[in-house]
Amino acid sequence: MTQLFTPFESRSVRIKNRIMMSPMCMYSAKDGFANDFHLMHLGARAAGGVGLVMVEATAVHPSGRISPGDLGIWSDDHIAPLSKITALIKSFGCVPGIQIAHAGRNASCHVPWEGGKALTSEEQAWTVFGPTEQPYSEEYAIPKAMSAQDIQNTVDDFAKAAQRAQKAGFEIIEIHAAHGYLIHTFLSPISNTRTDTYGGSFENRTRFLREIVHAIRSKWPEELPLWTRLSCTDWIDGGWTPEDSVALAKILKPGIDLIDCSSAGLDPRQRVHRKPLFQSPFAAQVKAEAEIPTVAVGWITTPEEADLLVAEEKADIIALGRTLLRHPFWALEAAKTLGQKPEWIPQYGWVLT
């Protein structure tokens, strides 16, 4: 029997199957506001049968946007348009989640299809932040090294974003601590060379994320899940490792319910060995060694691959990104392939079944 279409429970939230729409930045907002594009884009995948739609990286502060097109949740004014999206997602029997984020030193850039380079002062660039003044590369802005007050302000920004997420109807929050963005740059010894209590040792480098988790948990309902995405390796000698990810997951377990296991993004020197299922071993290792549920993501394309990862207990949730961009109804077709009855929405089902 297929395992991909069994329910999964995280605290009080029940997800109807193990398929998650991975958070993918669309760079289509203005001043952080969700619009009709986001409603269509996210609603279509919920109608397509996934169990969980995770909304793209949503900035907790204006300075935390990758680009001027990023979604935001730094203002109460952002709640209403996000509420329309969560209501639509729920209407299809799907769980709405949101990834909250700060881009750190990778902020203040053009959208990718305009080159993705750093904005200039004439293009209304804004101050970017990092653990130190080390930029991502020579083509990126030099960040402001965060003071203790900057760090505390950002911790507060994450907690306030969680409160807004609840008001907007989200049932899961995922903290973005991966892909070279702000939290990840504090975790990795490559980017974090601070000499205060937020740098140096493993305990100090993980302090920022631990404080964010604690702050969110103090505001986010106890019955609702809190997840985090990690880059489980930097793919660079001397960087963050899968073993570090396991150690951190064990520490975070009282407040974090699941680790979304991605990788890379910290440094242009990375050498990523891309192949089908190339990140799935990280999910398997963290799940087994930290004894915590995990998400597998990265070049998972077939129903059989996804089903086997769950059946062999290498991951609890399968996140699909580009695959769902190409095939919004992948989950329903996967059900058919695996011998399950596809649960089409009524508007389509009466024609297609």
Side-chain angles (χ1 to χ4, degrees):
M1 178 181 176
T2 178
Q3 297 299 305
L4 191 61
F5 289 90
T6 58
F8 177 75
E9 294 184 359
S10 188
R11 298 211 179 202
S12 67
V13 175
R14 184 178 187 272
I15 304 169
K16 65 182 178 183
N17 59 46
R18 306 303 183 97
I19 306 168
M20 163 179 148
M21 179 182 181
S22 193
M24 294 174 282
C25 292
M26 294 289 107
Y27 307 103
S28 298
K30 183 177 181 181
D31 297 324
F33 286 93
N35 54 44
D36 288 346
F37 171 82
H38 302 94
L39 190 68
M40 174 278 300
H41 167 66
L42 299 165
R45 276 71 195 179
V50 301
L52 167 63
V53 165
M54 187 66 71
V55 173
E56 66 191 77
T58 305
V60 301
H61 189 273
S63 67
R65 294 171 295 162
I66 305 165
S67 80
D70 284 30
L71 280 178
I73 195 165
W74 64 80
S75 168
D76 288 350
D77 292 337
H78 291 134
I79 295 172
L82 290 171
S83 297
K84 290 180 63 177
I85 290 171
T86 60
L88 180 62
I89 290 171
K90 290 177 183 179
S91 75
F92 296 129
C94 181
V95 173
I98 186 169
Q99 185 186 73
I100 57 176
H102 192 298
R105 66 185 189 177
N106 288 2
S108 191
C109 293
H110 286 277
V111 298
W113 54 86
E114 293 177 356
K117 294 182 179 179
L119 296 168
T120 65
S121 56
E122 291 78 14
E123 295 168 326
Q124 299 182 315
W126 56 86
T127 300
V128 303
F129 293 88
T132 70
E133 293 183 350
Q134 176 187 344
Y136 174 74
S137 73
E138 293 180 355
E139 297 179 351
Y140 282 71
I142 296 175
K144 176 183 183 290
M146 295 178 75
S147 66
Q149 188 60 57
D150 291 330
I151 290 171
Q152 185 56 58
N153 290 344
T154 304
V155 170
D156 292 343
D157 288 335
F158 272 90
K160 291 174 183 176
Q163 290 179 296
R164 295 186 186 104
Q166 182 192 0
K167 292 177 181 178
F170 289 101
E171 297 179 7
I172 297 174
I173 285 177
E174 179 174 274
I175 302 168
H176 198 350
H179 301 166
Y181 299 127
L182 184 61
I183 300 173
H184 185 187
T185 59
F186 272 82
L187 294 175
S188 176
I190 289 177
S191 50
N192 186 352
T193 55
R194 295 173 70 104
T195 57
D196 64 359
T197 57
Y198 290 93
S201 66
F202 178 86
E203 180 183 3
N204 286 355
R205 286 183 284 108
T206 61
R207 188 182 308 277
F208 184 34
L209 176 55
R210 290 187 284 112
E211 289 182 350
I212 289 171
V213 171
H214 178 76
I216 291 176
R217 266 286 161 221
S218 70
K219 303 294 184 182
W220 183 242
E222 181 68 21
E223 68 272 15
L224 293 181
L226 179 60
W227 299 358
T228 190
R229 174 170 274 193
L230 298 178
S231 278
C232 290
T233 178
D234 290 333
W235 298 100
I236 306 172
D237 290 342
W240 186 263
T241 68
E243 290 70 32
D244 290 329
S245 299
V246 170
L248 178 57
K250 290 179 178 178
I251 294 170
L252 295 178
K253 278 172 66 174
I256 291 292
D257 302 293
L258 176 147
I259 306 294
D260 185 350
C261 298
S262 190
S263 71
L266 181 83
D267 191 293
R269 296 172 296 173
Q270 67 188 15
R271 293 293 180 265
V272 183
H273 307 303
R274 299 186 187 277
K275 59 182 181 179
L277 308 179
F278 74 105
Q279 294 182 144
S280 300
F282 306 135
Q285 182 176 354
V286 172
K287 177 177 171 62
E289 297 180 14
E291 298 181 326
I292 190 171
T294 59
V295 169
V297 62
W299 214 331
I300 303 167
T301 58
T302 72
E304 293 83 0
E305 290 170 344
D307 188 47
L308 194 60
L309 286 170
V310 178
E312 293 184 345
E313 298 186 352
K314 294 179 178 178
D316 298 274
I317 298 285
I318 307 302
L320 303 177
R322 291 175 177 86
T323 295
L324 284 177
L325 294 183
R326 297 184 182 99
H327 307 290
F329 294 94
W330 185 94
L332 294 169
E333 296 297 338
K336 184 177 180 180
T337 298
L338 296 172
Q340 303 293 300
K341 183 179 179 181
E343 296 182 4
W344 293 94
I345 61 173
Q347 296 91 330
Y348 298 167
W350 74 277
V351 176
L352 298 175
T353 57

